[in-house]
Amino acid sequence: MLEVTFTTVLYQPDWSRTGAIVRDVLGSLAACSLTGEYLIVDNSPAPTMEAVRLAAEDERVRFLWNQGYNVYLAGALKTAALQAHGRHFVYCCASHGLINDPTWLTDLISPLADESIALAGHVQPCEFNRVASVPADIIEPQIHVQGGVWSARTQFLREFAFSHRFPFEFCDVDLSRRCLAAGYQLASVPSIVSIAGGVIPDPERYKYVHDYR
């Protein structure tokens, strides 16, 4: 079994940005002396040809097109988890990401050696109150692992699955909520920062920066 499966979910991407992110992330495998693969799951109406070509050129890359169906993030991640060969599963945003130190990958997957840890990444206060309608049986969590870059054990994700109960941009919050409700913990990785639509002070002090502008 490979050690790491990276996953990126595409929807009509700007390949000038996404391609650079994918190549830089793949470079981290060698820098950390890890074996791995990269699954590109494409939700676009037509296949992203640059990704198709990359998969043809690099044996570590596999391209999965959803036949023109946008199954959003939760569905694409379910597909990736079922297809993954790696023991660890790492999701990376297709549009934003900056690597200052390739050893970020070791930092991100190391907490998973503790089986009480479900997810690792940038833990931050929860914004579940932004969901338009929260079902009555939901207990709102106080924290979550931000969805721009995170890791989990692949087998755990297969067993835990992904929920379509909320808008796709909140699937990271819901996944964290269900992990916490099941008694697992979330691991904060200090060398990684991940936010959505904000400003990151002093991005150079982190090994991996998501939402880099």
PDB file of all heavy atoms in Angstrom, residues 123-131 139-145 170 172-174 176-177 180 186:
ATOM      1  N   VAL A 123      -7.000  23.813  12.712  1.00  0.00           N
ATOM      2  CA  VAL A 123      -8.212  23.829  13.526  1.00  0.00           C
ATOM      3  C   VAL A 123      -8.551  25.274  13.862  1.00  0.00           C
ATOM      4  O   VAL A 123      -7.704  26.028  14.342  1.00  0.00           O
ATOM      5  CB  VAL A 123      -8.029  23.005  14.817  1.00  0.00           C
ATOM      6  CG1 VAL A 123      -9.281  23.101  15.690  1.00  0.00           C
ATOM      7  CG2 VAL A 123      -7.737  21.545  14.478  1.00  0.00           C
ATOM      8  N   GLN A 124      -9.804  25.655  13.599  1.00  0.00           N
ATOM      9  CA  GLN A 124     -10.213  27.024  13.864  1.00  0.00           C
ATOM     10  C   GLN A 124     -11.651  27.051  14.369  1.00  0.00           C
ATOM     11  O   GLN A 124     -12.359  26.043  14.295  1.00  0.00           O
ATOM     12  CB  GLN A 124     -10.079  27.878  12.608  1.00  0.00           C
ATOM     13  CG  GLN A 124     -10.976  27.464  11.459  1.00  0.00           C
ATOM     14  CD  GLN A 124     -10.732  28.325  10.227  1.00  0.00           C
ATOM     15  OE1 GLN A 124      -9.621  28.737   9.943  1.00  0.00           O
ATOM     16  NE2 GLN A 124     -11.775  28.607   9.486  1.00  0.00           N
ATOM     17  N   PRO A 125     -12.093  28.208  14.900  1.00  0.00           N
ATOM     18  CA  PRO A 125     -13.482  28.296  15.380  1.00  0.00           C
ATOM     19  C   PRO A 125     -14.473  27.972  14.272  1.00  0.00           C
ATOM     20  O   PRO A 125     -14.254  28.270  13.096  1.00  0.00           O
ATOM     21  CB  PRO A 125     -13.604  29.752  15.831  1.00  0.00           C
ATOM     22  CG  PRO A 125     -12.212  30.165  16.149  1.00  0.00           C
ATOM     23  CD  PRO A 125     -11.336  29.436  15.172  1.00  0.00           C
ATOM     24  N   CYS A 126     -15.558  27.356  14.665  1.00  0.00           N
ATOM     25  CA  CYS A 126     -16.563  26.919  13.709  1.00  0.00           C
ATOM     26  C   CYS A 126     -17.463  28.083  13.290  1.00  0.00           C
ATOM     27  O   CYS A 126     -17.771  28.961  14.084  1.00  0.00           O
ATOM     28  CB  CYS A 126     -17.406  25.818  14.342  1.00  0.00           C
ATOM     29  SG  CYS A 126     -18.631  25.164  13.235  1.00  0.00           S
ATOM     30  N   GLU A 127     -17.902  28.046  12.020  1.00  0.00           N
ATOM     31  CA  GLU A 127     -18.825  29.048  11.512  1.00  0.00           C
ATOM     32  C   GLU A 127     -20.117  28.378  11.054  1.00  0.00           C
ATOM     33  O   GLU A 127     -20.705  28.741  10.045  1.00  0.00           O
ATOM     34  CB  GLU A 127     -18.173  29.813  10.360  1.00  0.00           C
ATOM     35  CG  GLU A 127     -16.947  30.609  10.783  1.00  0.00           C
ATOM     36  CD  GLU A 127     -16.319  31.376   9.630  1.00  0.00           C
ATOM     37  OE1 GLU A 127     -16.592  31.015   8.461  1.00  0.00           O
ATOM     38  OE2 GLU A 127     -15.576  32.314   9.904  1.00  0.00           O
ATOM     39  N   PHE A 128     -20.550  27.412  11.828  1.00  0.00           N
ATOM     40  CA  PHE A 128     -21.743  26.658  11.455  1.00  0.00           C
ATOM     41  C   PHE A 128     -22.979  27.550  11.419  1.00  0.00           C
ATOM     42  O   PHE A 128     -23.961  27.248  10.743  1.00  0.00           O
ATOM     43  CB  PHE A 128     -21.946  25.529  12.466  1.00  0.00           C
ATOM     44  CG  PHE A 128     -22.513  24.275  11.858  1.00  0.00           C
ATOM     45  CD1 PHE A 128     -21.870  23.644  10.812  1.00  0.00           C
ATOM     46  CD2 PHE A 128     -23.676  23.711  12.346  1.00  0.00           C
ATOM     47  CE1 PHE A 128     -22.370  22.477  10.259  1.00  0.00           C
ATOM     48  CE2 PHE A 128     -24.188  22.545  11.805  1.00  0.00           C
ATOM     49  CZ  PHE A 128     -23.532  21.933  10.753  1.00  0.00           C
ATOM     50  N   ASN A 129     -22.920  28.669  12.143  1.00  0.00           N
ATOM     51  CA  ASN A 129     -24.068  29.574  12.168  1.00  0.00           C
ATOM     52  C   ASN A 129     -24.308  30.248  10.815  1.00  0.00           C
ATOM     53  O   ASN A 129     -25.319  30.888  10.603  1.00  0.00           O
ATOM     54  CB  ASN A 129     -23.904  30.636  13.252  1.00  0.00           C
ATOM     55  CG  ASN A 129     -22.632  31.463  13.090  1.00  0.00           C
ATOM     56  OD1 ASN A 129     -21.760  31.114  12.303  1.00  0.00           O
ATOM     57  ND2 ASN A 129     -22.526  32.537  13.833  1.00  0.00           N
ATOM     58  N   ARG A 130     -23.363  30.096   9.881  1.00  0.00           N
ATOM     59  CA  ARG A 130     -23.545  30.648   8.543  1.00  0.00           C
ATOM     60  C   ARG A 130     -24.406  29.743   7.663  1.00  0.00           C
ATOM     61  O   ARG A 130     -24.824  30.150   6.589  1.00  0.00           O
ATOM     62  CB  ARG A 130     -22.183  30.877   7.880  1.00  0.00           C
ATOM     63  CG  ARG A 130     -21.381  32.006   8.504  1.00  0.00           C
ATOM     64  CD  ARG A 130     -20.012  32.096   7.889  1.00  0.00           C
ATOM     65  NE  ARG A 130     -20.067  32.166   6.437  1.00  0.00           N
ATOM     66  CZ  ARG A 130     -19.042  31.882   5.641  1.00  0.00           C
ATOM     67  NH1 ARG A 130     -17.885  31.476   6.158  1.00  0.00           N
ATOM     68  NH2 ARG A 130     -19.161  31.995   4.332  1.00  0.00           N
ATOM     69  N   VAL A 131     -24.647  28.521   8.104  1.00  0.00           N
ATOM     70  CA  VAL A 131     -25.527  27.633   7.344  1.00  0.00           C
ATOM     71  C   VAL A 131     -26.954  28.162   7.450  1.00  0.00           C
ATOM     72  O   VAL A 131     -27.431  28.476   8.537  1.00  0.00           O
ATOM     73  CB  VAL A 131     -25.443  26.189   7.878  1.00  0.00           C
ATOM     74  CG1 VAL A 131     -26.384  25.278   7.108  1.00  0.00           C
ATOM     75  CG2 VAL A 131     -24.018  25.680   7.790  1.00  0.00           C
ATOM     76  N   ILE A 139     -26.093  19.271  16.748  1.00  0.00           N
ATOM     77  CA  ILE A 139     -25.389  20.021  17.795  1.00  0.00           C
ATOM     78  C   ILE A 139     -24.226  20.738  17.136  1.00  0.00           C
ATOM     79  O   ILE A 139     -23.376  20.116  16.504  1.00  0.00           O
ATOM     80  CB  ILE A 139     -24.878  19.082  18.905  1.00  0.00           C
ATOM     81  CG1 ILE A 139     -26.062  18.376  19.578  1.00  0.00           C
ATOM     82  CG2 ILE A 139     -24.065  19.855  19.932  1.00  0.00           C
ATOM     83  CD1 ILE A 139     -25.651  17.322  20.579  1.00  0.00           C
ATOM     84  N   GLU A 140     -24.180  22.054  17.265  1.00  0.00           N
ATOM     85  CA  GLU A 140     -23.155  22.821  16.586  1.00  0.00           C
ATOM     86  C   GLU A 140     -21.797  22.646  17.271  1.00  0.00           C
ATOM     87  O   GLU A 140     -21.683  22.837  18.481  1.00  0.00           O
ATOM     88  CB  GLU A 140     -23.522  24.312  16.571  1.00  0.00           C
ATOM     89  CG  GLU A 140     -24.770  24.618  15.780  1.00  0.00           C
ATOM     90  CD  GLU A 140     -25.023  26.101  15.659  1.00  0.00           C
ATOM     91  OE1 GLU A 140     -24.054  26.875  15.757  1.00  0.00           O
ATOM     92  OE2 GLU A 140     -26.186  26.479  15.476  1.00  0.00           O
ATOM     93  N   PRO A 141     -20.757  22.307  16.527  1.00  0.00           N
ATOM     94  CA  PRO A 141     -19.426  22.188  17.124  1.00  0.00           C
ATOM     95  C   PRO A 141     -18.816  23.568  17.330  1.00  0.00           C
ATOM     96  O   PRO A 141     -19.234  24.552  16.722  1.00  0.00           O
ATOM     97  CB  PRO A 141     -18.644  21.410  16.055  1.00  0.00           C
ATOM     98  CG  PRO A 141     -19.310  21.804  14.773  1.00  0.00           C
ATOM     99  CD  PRO A 141     -20.770  21.973  15.099  1.00  0.00           C
ATOM    100  N   GLN A 142     -17.827  23.652  18.189  1.00  0.00           N
ATOM    101  CA  GLN A 142     -17.134  24.911  18.445  1.00  0.00           C
ATOM    102  C   GLN A 142     -15.925  25.093  17.536  1.00  0.00           C
ATOM    103  O   GLN A 142     -15.492  26.215  17.300  1.00  0.00           O
ATOM    104  CB  GLN A 142     -16.695  24.966  19.916  1.00  0.00           C
ATOM    105  CG  GLN A 142     -17.837  24.885  20.906  1.00  0.00           C
ATOM    106  CD  GLN A 142     -18.836  26.015  20.736  1.00  0.00           C
ATOM    107  OE1 GLN A 142     -18.458  27.184  20.697  1.00  0.00           O
ATOM    108  NE2 GLN A 142     -20.110  25.667  20.604  1.00  0.00           N
ATOM    109  N   ILE A 143     -15.368  23.981  17.045  1.00  0.00           N
ATOM    110  CA  ILE A 143     -14.175  24.035  16.207  1.00  0.00           C
ATOM    111  C   ILE A 143     -14.329  23.081  15.035  1.00  0.00           C
ATOM    112  O   ILE A 143     -15.179  22.188  15.048  1.00  0.00           O
ATOM    113  CB  ILE A 143     -12.900  23.664  16.998  1.00  0.00           C
ATOM    114  CG1 ILE A 143     -13.024  22.251  17.589  1.00  0.00           C
ATOM    115  CG2 ILE A 143     -12.592  24.690  18.081  1.00  0.00           C
ATOM    116  CD1 ILE A 143     -11.754  21.732  18.230  1.00  0.00           C
ATOM    117  N   HIS A 144     -13.488  23.287  14.004  1.00  0.00           N
ATOM    118  CA  HIS A 144     -13.447  22.343  12.895  1.00  0.00           C
ATOM    119  C   HIS A 144     -12.095  22.452  12.210  1.00  0.00           C
ATOM    120  O   HIS A 144     -11.362  23.423  12.390  1.00  0.00           O
ATOM    121  CB  HIS A 144     -14.584  22.593  11.899  1.00  0.00           C
ATOM    122  CG  HIS A 144     -14.379  23.786  11.016  1.00  0.00           C
ATOM    123  ND1 HIS A 144     -14.391  25.075  11.492  1.00  0.00           N
ATOM    124  CD2 HIS A 144     -14.154  23.877   9.679  1.00  0.00           C
ATOM    125  CE1 HIS A 144     -14.186  25.917  10.494  1.00  0.00           C
ATOM    126  NE2 HIS A 144     -14.033  25.218   9.373  1.00  0.00           N
ATOM    127  N   VAL A 145     -11.743  21.422  11.433  1.00  0.00           N
ATOM    128  CA  VAL A 145     -10.552  21.467  10.603  1.00  0.00           C
ATOM    129  C   VAL A 145     -10.944  22.139   9.288  1.00  0.00           C
ATOM    130  O   VAL A 145     -11.817  21.651   8.580  1.00  0.00           O
ATOM    131  CB  VAL A 145      -9.988  20.056  10.344  1.00  0.00           C
ATOM    132  CG1 VAL A 145      -8.853  20.120   9.322  1.00  0.00           C
ATOM    133  CG2 VAL A 145      -9.484  19.433  11.636  1.00  0.00           C
ATOM    134  N   PHE A 170     -19.792  23.602   3.392  1.00  0.00           N
ATOM    135  CA  PHE A 170     -19.744  23.313   4.819  1.00  0.00           C
ATOM    136  C   PHE A 170     -19.473  21.841   5.115  1.00  0.00           C
ATOM    137  O   PHE A 170     -19.633  21.387   6.237  1.00  0.00           O
ATOM    138  CB  PHE A 170     -21.050  23.737   5.494  1.00  0.00           C
ATOM    139  CG  PHE A 170     -21.234  25.222   5.547  1.00  0.00           C
ATOM    140  CD1 PHE A 170     -22.004  25.866   4.599  1.00  0.00           C
ATOM    141  CD2 PHE A 170     -20.588  25.991   6.515  1.00  0.00           C
ATOM    142  CE1 PHE A 170     -22.154  27.237   4.617  1.00  0.00           C
ATOM    143  CE2 PHE A 170     -20.738  27.364   6.540  1.00  0.00           C
ATOM    144  CZ  PHE A 170     -21.518  27.999   5.598  1.00  0.00           C
ATOM    145  N   ASP A 172     -16.680  20.379   5.316  1.00  0.00           N
ATOM    146  CA  ASP A 172     -15.566  20.249   6.252  1.00  0.00           C
ATOM    147  C   ASP A 172     -16.046  20.428   7.689  1.00  0.00           C
ATOM    148  O   ASP A 172     -15.622  19.704   8.591  1.00  0.00           O
ATOM    149  CB  ASP A 172     -14.446  21.248   5.927  1.00  0.00           C
ATOM    150  CG  ASP A 172     -14.916  22.691   5.872  1.00  0.00           C
ATOM    151  OD1 ASP A 172     -16.138  22.947   5.803  1.00  0.00           O
ATOM    152  OD2 ASP A 172     -14.046  23.592   5.896  1.00  0.00           O
ATOM    153  N   VAL A 173     -16.962  21.377   7.894  1.00  0.00           N
ATOM    154  CA  VAL A 173     -17.523  21.590   9.228  1.00  0.00           C
ATOM    155  C   VAL A 173     -18.327  20.365   9.658  1.00  0.00           C
ATOM    156  O   VAL A 173     -18.210  19.891  10.790  1.00  0.00           O
ATOM    157  CB  VAL A 173     -18.410  22.849   9.255  1.00  0.00           C
ATOM    158  CG1 VAL A 173     -19.034  23.048  10.636  1.00  0.00           C
ATOM    159  CG2 VAL A 173     -17.592  24.077   8.865  1.00  0.00           C
ATOM    160  N   ASP A 174     -19.126  19.839   8.754  1.00  0.00           N
ATOM    161  CA  ASP A 174     -19.949  18.681   9.096  1.00  0.00           C
ATOM    162  C   ASP A 174     -19.102  17.449   9.371  1.00  0.00           C
ATOM    163  O   ASP A 174     -19.381  16.681  10.296  1.00  0.00           O
ATOM    164  CB  ASP A 174     -20.941  18.399   7.969  1.00  0.00           C
ATOM    165  CG  ASP A 174     -21.855  17.232   8.299  1.00  0.00           C
ATOM    166  OD1 ASP A 174     -22.492  17.266   9.369  1.00  0.00           O
ATOM    167  OD2 ASP A 174     -21.910  16.282   7.502  1.00  0.00           O
ATOM    168  N   SER A 176     -16.029  17.402  10.532  1.00  0.00           N
ATOM    169  CA  SER A 176     -15.435  17.618  11.856  1.00  0.00           C
ATOM    170  C   SER A 176     -16.462  17.381  12.951  1.00  0.00           C
ATOM    171  O   SER A 176     -16.168  16.750  13.969  1.00  0.00           O
ATOM    172  CB  SER A 176     -14.889  19.043  11.964  1.00  0.00           C
ATOM    173  OG  SER A 176     -13.817  19.273  11.087  1.00  0.00           O
ATOM    174  N   ARG A 177     -17.688  17.879  12.748  1.00  0.00           N
ATOM    175  CA  ARG A 177     -18.751  17.707  13.740  1.00  0.00           C
ATOM    176  C   ARG A 177     -19.033  16.241  14.007  1.00  0.00           C
ATOM    177  O   ARG A 177     -19.138  15.807  15.157  1.00  0.00           O
ATOM    178  CB  ARG A 177     -20.030  18.398  13.243  1.00  0.00           C
ATOM    179  CG  ARG A 177     -21.236  18.198  14.146  1.00  0.00           C
ATOM    180  CD  ARG A 177     -22.523  18.633  13.470  1.00  0.00           C
ATOM    181  NE  ARG A 177     -22.882  17.769  12.352  1.00  0.00           N
ATOM    182  CZ  ARG A 177     -23.488  16.602  12.466  1.00  0.00           C
ATOM    183  NH1 ARG A 177     -23.777  16.121  13.667  1.00  0.00           N
ATOM    184  NH2 ARG A 177     -23.790  15.889  11.402  1.00  0.00           N
ATOM    185  N   LEU A 180     -16.163  14.575  15.951  1.00  0.00           N
ATOM    186  CA  LEU A 180     -16.211  14.932  17.371  1.00  0.00           C
ATOM    187  C   LEU A 180     -17.356  14.208  18.080  1.00  0.00           C
ATOM    188  O   LEU A 180     -17.204  13.718  19.200  1.00  0.00           O
ATOM    189  CB  LEU A 180     -16.363  16.446  17.522  1.00  0.00           C
ATOM    190  CG  LEU A 180     -15.152  17.286  17.100  1.00  0.00           C
ATOM    191  CD1 LEU A 180     -15.528  18.767  17.021  1.00  0.00           C
ATOM    192  CD2 LEU A 180     -13.983  17.095  18.059  1.00  0.00           C
ATOM    193  N   LEU A 186      -9.618  16.277  16.913  1.00  0.00           N
ATOM    194  CA  LEU A 186      -9.055  16.990  15.774  1.00  0.00           C
ATOM    195  C   LEU A 186      -7.665  17.474  16.164  1.00  0.00           C
ATOM    196  O   LEU A 186      -7.481  17.997  17.253  1.00  0.00           O
ATOM    197  CB  LEU A 186      -9.925  18.187  15.396  1.00  0.00           C
ATOM    198  CG  LEU A 186     -11.427  17.933  15.247  1.00  0.00           C
ATOM    199  CD1 LEU A 186     -12.141  19.237  14.892  1.00  0.00           C
ATOM    200  CD2 LEU A 186     -11.714  16.865  14.211  1.00  0.00           C
TER     201      LEU A 186
END
